[in-house]
Amino acid sequence: MDNDDSDGTDRKSRQHAERQIFEQDRVTTVPYPDSRAGKPITRAKVQDANTTYSSSMSDSENPYSPFSSRMDWEIAQWAKLRGLSSTAFSDLLSIEGVNEHLGLSYKNSRELNDIIDKQLPGRPTFRREQIIVAGEAFDIYHRDVLECIKALYGDPDFADYLVFAPERHYTDDDETVRLYSDMHTGKWWWNTQKKLDEQQPGATIVPVIISTDKTQVTMFHNKTAYPVYLTIGNIPKEIRRKPSRCAHVLLAYLPTTRLEHTKPITNKASRRRSAANLYHACMARVLSPLENAGLDGLSMRSGDGILRRCHPLFACFIGDYPEQVLATTVKTTECPKCDIPPDKLESATAPFEIHDLHAVLDALATIDVGDLEFVQACRDAGIKPVVHPFWERLPYANIFQAVTPDILHQLYQGLVKHLLGWLAQACGPNEIDARCRRLPPNHHIRLFMKGITGLSRVSGAEHAQICCFLLGIIIDARLPGNMSSTCLLRAVRGLLDFLYLAQYPCHSSETLSLLDEALVLFHDNKQIFVDLGIRNHFNLPKLHATHHYISMIRFFGTTDNYNTEYTEQLHIDLAKDVYRATNRKDEFTQMTRWLERKEKIVCHAKFIRWRLHDNTPHHPSPRPASLSFDRTRTLAKHPSAKAVSFQTLISDYGATYFREALARYIAQQNHLDESLSRSRLEALAANVHLPFHSVAVYHKIKWLSVDARGHGDPLITVDSVHVMPCRTGTRQKNDALPARFDTALINNGTGQSVGVEGYRVGQIRAIFSIRERDAQFLFPPTHQPPKHLAYIEWFKPFPSTPDSRHGMYKINRLVHSGERVASIIPISNIVRSVHLIPKFGPVAPRHWTSNNVLEECDTFFVNCYIDRHSFVTLR
């Protein structure tokens, strides 16, 4: 009983903390105390980027200049952005009459390239340089880092959204609960602004975010590229994380050599040391302009033409564990950020401190004393003897703080990957796969009909899909020796809770404590894997890295500011697709040239759009990130079936009591001023005469995202429910589809943003509409029904508390006298889809399938892991 009371108290405090960042009615914004921070340079001439771009065009009257017409421009755009090879395009234009009929200003790819190269402005060009290491020269292709920063900072697409000064956000007027979201709300920007103001008051900080990751660009032959990407923290994270917004710049291609054929290097240790020196020498060459610019500043125009004194400062380094180790120069198996010993990585209580940057810099300075002294000093400081790491001279930079959390590789491709292997050993691969095949369908759930234990080369996206149901499928699973599964469920729950909490787009000082509680829950129960003989230690760097998440969120904002998933998408656009456009000979020269031309075409397309449609400035009011889920419900304009008879609704849709439920709904709407008892309602319903015997039926409800923050985001489907009978296939095509009647979360009118109070679960059997003339006959004029209604079979109300082991609510169907209870409701009461996980028992019944499990099973667990909204609402 005490445990239940404690769980209830914890749940209420968690819901209170999450409600504060879900319902941000008032956010108290505290600006930086020195009002000069981020201010424009006074009396400077203002000329926006589009006007400057326009002045470089030869024909100011022609919006498509230097192309002669819209046709001329659109074919050039198609040729450069749709993957057509230069030879194929030249062959197309060489067909007799094509060029003349289209009226093009170019006759082949060479002439088109000449127009793009000489007449279109673009982002900075690449240059090729050589770095000498171990007596051998290596090529590096890179751009001027300052010009790249100026290109992003001055992009007119971002002008209305740029942030120029740090802020502190609070949920209350007393400023006790702080919020963290975008980078400017974290402590790094505020603290660095204070340091910079001591030397250069009135500065505008430009946080430079660098990410590196070697990637394979071919399926075979092991051809790799080593791109370096750059973005800036002034651009909001919602824009930065979308590759289509082009908020990242490819800064460089580093050498990919492993130094295997370099003659002076004779052993693996020397080869690794030389490879590290090569990496840092290349990165130092690329980032060296930041040394003076960060200290002295430089004048930069944003896209609206306003001039500020900007200081580009290295802020964040994004990479997977090998990249972090390489950048920080620590040893493999050690933490790249702190001094915890490798044999203490599994500990939840072992003390640690961030590496002492001053001690490391003092050790690096001994290189002028002698080789032996340098090696010994580096060993004492806990780093490898790397000659002049790239961050050594960067102002206000601390590489050990700059290394950011890595959701993709540390959690999805790290801990979740380990967890899947541990659970397969604990519960048995056959049983886990059997349960995967028997999950009911849902918009958010990918059904792995062949199971999950035999998958190979599992991607981060697939691990994320598995996490949506992983905890639910191991409930009641039998463990070896009939051991209790309580600790196993709690350990998995702790890890999944941490994973979902770590991805919140907004955190408060209170919700950050939930991260710590989730981690403690895992550590308190991880011994189960040792007791089962699956593990004998947990000294995993990726597990220890979770202890740094809270401090990093406070420092740089939430993890969606620096997620490596974004760079994985950039690999496709800026490395793999680029490589495929080459002839594989001197490929990096071709890749950089191809990329420059593509960027010019993209920039010109934006300019043309501005000239033709959108040359008025926009000044959207900034809105802090929150946990709110703005979405809009939509149905098809026309019904899926125009006239479905009541008998068909009963036989094919399973709406057994449709006529009776509709009669009760009509009776209720005609007596809204009365408090109707059950018997009175049944008596009134018995007197309802329906003047029709069929209704129009819809088979799907969709929820679309809303561009709540005014960033011009397109509408996408974020949720849906399917309500359709089985469809028989044809002999020619095997296109038979089983019936699908999804479950949904229903609001009775009192449900709130967090918690299950005021909600019920129901299975939707039919979505229908009544003809207007029939509605006017059946309902009073003052209470006409909504256009769309739904027939719902109910589940019992949520219990007062979820299960203390796994945190999910257990529900059953609502049955009266052996029959399912159903009613009619407006679809406006349907909040979202809900995924129910069957109570499988020790062994999943083999006659259950994904298509029939909702009918065969009586007891379910409400899955709270299908997305962030369900995670916040249904726990």
Side-chain angles (χ1 to χ4, degrees):
M1 189 69 178
D2 292 338
N3 288 338
D4 291 341
D5 292 342
S6 175
D7 289 345
T9 303
D10 292 344
R11 188 172 62 259
K12 288 180 180 178
S13 62
R14 172 186 60 78
Q15 291 176 354
H16 171 73
E18 291 178 331
R19 189 172 288 116
Q20 283 185 309
I21 56 177
F22 200 110
E23 302 170 351
Q24 293 184 17
D25 298 326
R26 286 191 62 189
V27 174
T28 301
T29 300
V30 178
Y32 186 73
D34 189 339
S35 61
R36 294 174 294 176
K39 291 299 181 183
I41 297 175
T42 57
R43 294 186 297 275
K45 181 182 178 182
V46 176
Q47 183 172 338
D48 68 88
N50 280 317
T51 302
T52 303
Y53 190 103
S54 181
S55 64
S56 66
M57 296 293 103
S58 57
D59 185 356
S60 59
E61 300 298 324
N62 176 16
Y64 304 101
S65 176
F67 298 96
S68 59
S69 65
R70 176 179 175 180
M71 177 73 74
D72 196 31
W73 152 247
E74 289 187 349
I75 288 185
Q77 185 183 29
W78 168 77
K80 289 302 176 184
L81 299 184
R82 296 304 178 189
L84 190 69
S85 71
S86 296
T87 302
F89 184 61
S90 295
D91 289 345
L92 173 66
L93 298 188
S94 67
I95 297 175
E96 185 177 353
V98 169
N99 195 284
E100 291 76 11
H101 280 85
L102 295 178
L104 303 182
S105 59
Y106 41 85
K107 298 179 180 179
N108 49 50
S109 291
R110 181 180 54 78
E111 292 185 7
L112 173 59
N113 291 338
D114 197 51
I115 293 173
I116 296 172
D117 292 341
K118 296 179 179 179
Q119 300 186 51
L120 287 184
R123 285 181 170 175
T125 58
F126 285 88
R127 59 175 178 262
R128 178 179 181 175
E129 292 189 35
Q130 288 192 331
I131 302 291
I132 308 297
V133 171
E136 187 172 347
F138 298 93
D139 290 332
I140 174 176
Y141 296 79
H142 71 99
R143 290 163 152 162
D144 186 316
V145 64
L146 296 181
E147 293 301 319
C148 289
I149 293 171
K150 288 180 181 179
L152 287 175
Y153 184 86
D155 192 316
D157 274 12
F158 308 144
D160 294 326
Y161 311 108
L162 291 182
V163 177
F164 304 106
E167 295 176 344
R168 288 175 176 168
H169 293 175
Y170 298 91
T171 63
D172 56 344
D173 293 333
D174 297 332
E175 300 177 11
T176 57
V177 181
R178 185 167 175 179
L179 291 173
Y180 303 93
S181 54
D182 267 296
M183 197 169 181
H184 71 286
T185 65
K187 295 181 177 181
W188 175 87
W189 200 328
W190 188 285
N191 295 342
T192 307
Q193 189 81 48
K194 288 176 64 177
K195 295 177 184 177
L196 192 58
D197 282 353
E198 295 173 1
Q199 308 295 329
Q200 299 271 6
T204 299
I205 290 179
V206 179
V208 177
I209 303 172
I210 297 292
S211 55
T212 66
D213 188 17
K214 187 181 293 186
T215 183
Q216 191 165 315
V217 295
T218 59
M219 294 294 291
F220 308 101
H221 308 300
N222 202 30
K223 188 67 179 178
T224 58
Y226 205 156
V228 180
Y229 305 113
L230 176 146
T231 187
I232 56 176
N234 310 83
I235 303 172
K237 61 183 182 179
E238 281 82 3
I239 295 177
R240 272 188 279 126
R241 70 188 184 192
K242 295 181 174 67
S244 61
R245 299 301 296 270
C246 302
H248 286 77
V249 171
L250 177 65
L251 181 59
Y253 286 122
L254 303 182
T256 59
T257 177
R258 297 180 180 178
L259 304 177
E260 294 173 344
H261 306 293
T262 305
K263 293 181 179 179
I265 304 176
T266 57
N267 58 65
K268 290 184 178 179
S270 298
R271 188 178 300 122
R272 286 195 295 268
R273 190 159 54 247
S274 297
N277 284 325
L278 174 61
Y279 169 84
H280 282 277
C282 293
M283 289 293 290
R285 178 71 62 87
V286 173
L287 299 180
S288 59
L290 295 179
E291 295 177 25
N292 294 330
L295 288 173
D296 303 330
L298 68 160
S299 296
M300 289 170 48
R301 291 189 187 275
S302 50
D304 53 10
I306 296 176
L307 196 67
R308 291 175 175 86
R309 178 167 54 82
C310 298
H311 293 250
L313 301 177
F314 175 65
C316 294
F317 179 84
I318 303 173
D320 57 16
Y321 181 71
E323 294 292 328
Q324 293 176 359
V325 168
L326 182 60
T328 57
T329 71
V330 303
K331 297 178 182 177
T332 304
T333 74
E334 294 182 354
C335 176
K337 296 182 68 67
C338 71
D339 59 2
I340 192 169
D343 59 348
K344 298 291 185 182
L345 292 172
E346 66 180 352
S347 174
T349 57
F352 57 82
E353 296 290 339
I354 296 294
H355 285 295
D356 187 342
L357 179 65
H358 297 293
V360 170
L361 293 176
D362 290 342
L364 293 172
T366 62
I367 190 171
D368 297 327
V369 178
D371 291 345
L372 293 178
E373 290 81 357
F374 175 61
V375 172
Q376 183 60 46
C378 290
R379 184 181 296 114
D380 295 341
I383 62 171
K384 291 182 285 191
V386 173
V387 178
H388 298 308
F390 72 86
W391 38 263
E392 183 181 14
R393 296 186 178 90
L394 296 181
Y396 304 102
N398 185 338
I399 187 62
F400 305 110
Q401 286 183 333
V403 169
T404 58
D406 178 8
I407 296 287
L408 176 61
H409 298 99
Q410 289 172 351
L411 299 185
Y412 283 122
Q413 296 291 67
L415 297 184
V416 171
K417 181 179 180 179
H418 287 305
L419 184 63
L420 289 177
W422 301 342
L423 292 178
Q425 294 182 60
C427 304
N430 292 334
E431 182 61 25
I432 286 181
D433 291 343
R435 294 172 183 232
C436 291
R437 290 191 289 269
R438 287 160 176 80
L439 291 174
N442 179 271
H443 175 86
H444 302 275
I445 296 294
R446 174 181 171 183
L447 297 177
F448 291 83
M449 300 310 292
K450 295 183 179 180
I452 59 175
T453 61
L455 297 175
S456 60
R457 300 179 64 87
V458 185
S459 67
E462 288 170 326
H463 277 136
Q465 292 160 351
I466 292 170
C467 286
C468 291
F469 56 79
L470 182 61
L471 180 57
I473 63 173
I474 63 172
I475 298 174
D476 296 336
R478 184 183 292 131
L479 299 184
N482 289 323
M483 291 181 63
S484 171
S485 63
T486 298
C487 289
L488 179 70
L489 293 173
R490 287 178 174 168
V492 176
R493 174 187 171 189
L495 210 53
L496 289 179
D497 282 0
F498 183 90
L499 172 65
Y500 279 67
L501 287 164
Q503 297 178 83
Y504 274 14
C506 180
H507 265 290
S508 71
S509 47
E510 293 182 346
T511 58
L512 286 177
S513 65
L514 302 178
L515 268 173
D516 192 45
E517 292 172 9
L519 204 54
V520 168
L521 183 63
F522 171 77
H523 281 289
D524 287 348
N525 293 277
K526 67 186 179 186
Q527 182 64 28
I528 184 66
F529 296 108
V530 178
D531 297 340
L532 289 169
I534 296 172
R535 296 288 303 180
N536 54 24
H537 72 83
F538 291 89
N539 288 318
L540 306 171
K542 293 177 180 179
L543 177 59
H544 168 75
T546 57
H547 292 283
H548 295 295
Y549 275 55
I550 295 176
S551 62
M552 288 295 97
I553 291 173
R554 289 195 179 109
F555 218 60
F556 293 116
T558 48
T559 57
D560 51 352
N561 279 285
Y562 35 77
N563 196 338
T564 50
E565 289 182 0
Y566 312 151
T567 58
E568 293 296 323
Q569 177 60 42
L570 293 176
H571 284 336
I572 298 175
D573 298 335
L574 304 181
K576 298 180 181 181
D577 287 348
V578 184
Y579 178 78
R580 296 188 187 105
T582 71
N583 62 7
R584 284 51 165 179
K585 298 176 182 178
D586 192 19
E587 61 272 8
F588 286 105
T589 300
Q590 297 180 59
M591 289 166 69
T592 54
R593 189 181 301 120
W594 185 91
L595 186 61
E596 289 170 4
R597 290 169 179 159
K598 180 179 178 181
E599 288 176 340
K600 287 183 176 184
I601 291 292
V602 170
C603 289
H604 199 56
K606 293 179 181 179
F607 169 73
I608 291 174
R609 189 162 55 246
W610 173 81
R611 277 286 304 269
L612 295 177
H613 308 294
D614 194 22
N615 54 10
T616 56
H618 299 276
H619 300 288
S621 56
R623 176 179 172 183
S626 70
L627 284 182
S628 61
F629 293 83
D630 296 310
R631 54 182 69 187
T632 179
R633 183 190 309 103
T634 181
L635 280 82
K637 183 177 180 180
H638 302 289
S640 305
K642 291 184 178 180
V644 177
S645 67
F646 291 175
Q647 184 57 44
T648 302
L649 287 172
I650 295 171
S651 60
D652 293 356
Y653 289 77
T656 309
Y657 301 103
F658 180 82
R659 190 191 306 269
E660 294 81 354
L662 182 57
R664 286 196 298 271
Y665 178 76
I666 294 171
Q668 283 177 322
Q669 296 302 306
N670 280 278
H671 297 81
L672 290 174
D673 54 345
E674 296 183 38
S675 178
L676 299 176
S677 65
R678 183 182 181 87
S679 58
R680 169 70 173 153
L681 178 62
E682 292 294 342
L684 290 172
N687 293 323
V688 172
H689 172 69
L690 299 178
F692 53 90
H693 300 284
S694 63
V695 291
V697 170
Y698 299 79
H699 287 170
K700 184 190 291 188
I701 304 175
K702 293 195 297 185
W703 285 267
L704 304 179
S705 62
V706 174
D707 183 21
R709 303 194 70 189
H711 292 156
D713 300 332
L715 296 180
I716 59 172
T717 302
V718 293
D719 196 10
S720 66
V721 292
H722 295 253
V723 185
M724 59 183 71
C726 63
R727 188 181 75 187
T728 57
T730 61
R731 290 185 178 182
Q732 292 78 17
K733 297 181 180 179
N734 186 22
D735 57 353
L737 288 177
R740 178 173 170 180
F741 301 99
D742 286 354
T743 50
L745 190 67
I746 316 295
N747 190 343
N748 67 9
T750 63
Q752 299 183 11
S753 55
V754 178
V756 297
E757 292 81 4
Y759 292 102
R760 291 274 295 275
V761 174
Q763 186 178 19
I764 307 176
R765 285 292 184 177
I767 303 166
F768 64 97
S769 62
I770 301 174
R771 288 178 300 184
E772 186 175 350
R773 68 170 183 267
D774 293 330
Q776 291 173 351
F777 171 76
L778 292 169
F779 296 89
T782 56
H783 293 100
Q784 285 293 295
K787 181 178 179 180
H788 300 103
L789 300 169
Y791 177 92
I792 304 290
E793 290 184 346
W794 293 104
F795 287 78
K796 291 181 179 179
F798 285 99
S800 57
T801 58
D803 192 293
S804 61
R805 300 172 302 156
H806 48 72
M808 295 186 187
Y809 287 96
K810 181 179 175 181
I811 61 172
N812 304 83
R813 284 194 180 273
L814 181 59
V815 178
H816 181 71
S817 301
E819 300 293 337
R820 296 177 181 178
V821 176
S823 61
I824 303 292
I825 64 168
I827 67 160
S828 58
N829 290 11
I830 302 175
V831 178
R832 56 157 301 135
S833 69
V834 159
H835 187 239
L836 301 183
I837 296 181
K839 188 178 187 303
F840 289 106
V843 178
R846 293 315 191 241
H847 66 280
W848 289 1
T849 68
S850 177
N851 299 323
N852 69 17
V853 68
L854 286 175
E855 308 302 320
E856 297 288 338
C857 181
D858 295 321
T859 305
F860 300 87
F861 299 102
V862 182
N863 189 354
C864 58
Y865 291 100
I866 58 175
D867 65 357
R868 192 187 307 124
H869 181 262
S870 65
F871 182 74
V872 173
T873 306
L874 300 176
R875 287 188 301 142

